């Protein structure tokens, strides 16, 4: 089941994210609670639109494809993003 999720992400999710030089890495899946743990990489790490992309698009796609996924947990350290596609506003 974990390998099928990773394959789906690599075939259907990551090609779209690669248009912005980013990708999604699937870290783990907990079948007991249905949590899928992911990390956004490349230009998705630290991108101001990453939360919307992950929860409004990617999560919907994954939960429709895999009914046993109950929630997506973002493990990304967005503060360490080197080259985010959309930069966050800096408070001065």
């Amino acid at each position: 089941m974990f390998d099928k999720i990773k394959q789906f992400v690599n075939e259907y999710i990551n090609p779209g994210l690669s248009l912005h030089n980013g990708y999604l890495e699937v870290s783990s899946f907990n079948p007991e609670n249905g949590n899928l743990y992911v990390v956004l990489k490349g230009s998705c790490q630290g991108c101001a639109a990453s939360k919307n992309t992950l929860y409004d698009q990617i999560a919907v796609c994954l939960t429709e494809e895999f009914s046993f996924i109950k929630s997506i947990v973002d493990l990304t350290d967005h503060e360490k993003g080197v080259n985010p596609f959309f930069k966050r506003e800096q408070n001065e």
Side-chain angles (χ1 to χ4, degrees):
M1 134 178 37
F2 182 67
D3 289 336
K4 287 187 180 196
I5 297 170
K6 287 174 66 172
Q7 180 180 358
F8 183 85
V9 166
N10 287 332
E11 290 179 5
Y12 297 101
I13 306 275
N14 282 335
L17 295 177
S18 72
L19 297 173
H20 289 180
N21 298 317
Y23 64 98
L24 182 72
E25 181 179 280
V26 179
S27 293
S28 63
F29 176 70
N30 183 337
E32 293 178 16
N33 61 15
N35 287 345
L36 180 67
Y37 299 89
V38 300
V39 178
L40 290 160
K41 301 274 188 138
S43 292
C44 291
Q45 183 181 9
C47 176
S50 63
K51 184 176 181 179
N52 290 341
T53 300
L54 181 59
Y55 294 110
D56 295 342
Q57 297 172 3
I58 295 171
V60 170
C61 185
L62 286 170
T63 56
E64 284 180 359
E65 184 69 23
F66 302 101
S67 60
F68 51 82
I69 296 175
K70 301 303 178 199
S71 68
I72 308 295
V73 180
D74 184 9
L75 301 176
T76 309
D77 184 352
H78 288 285
E79 296 301 317
K80 297 209 179 203
V82 175
N83 189 25
F85 192 77
F86 293 109
K87 295 187 178 169
R88 297 179 188 276
E89 293 290 326
Q90 296 293 324
N91 294 331
E92 295 186 45

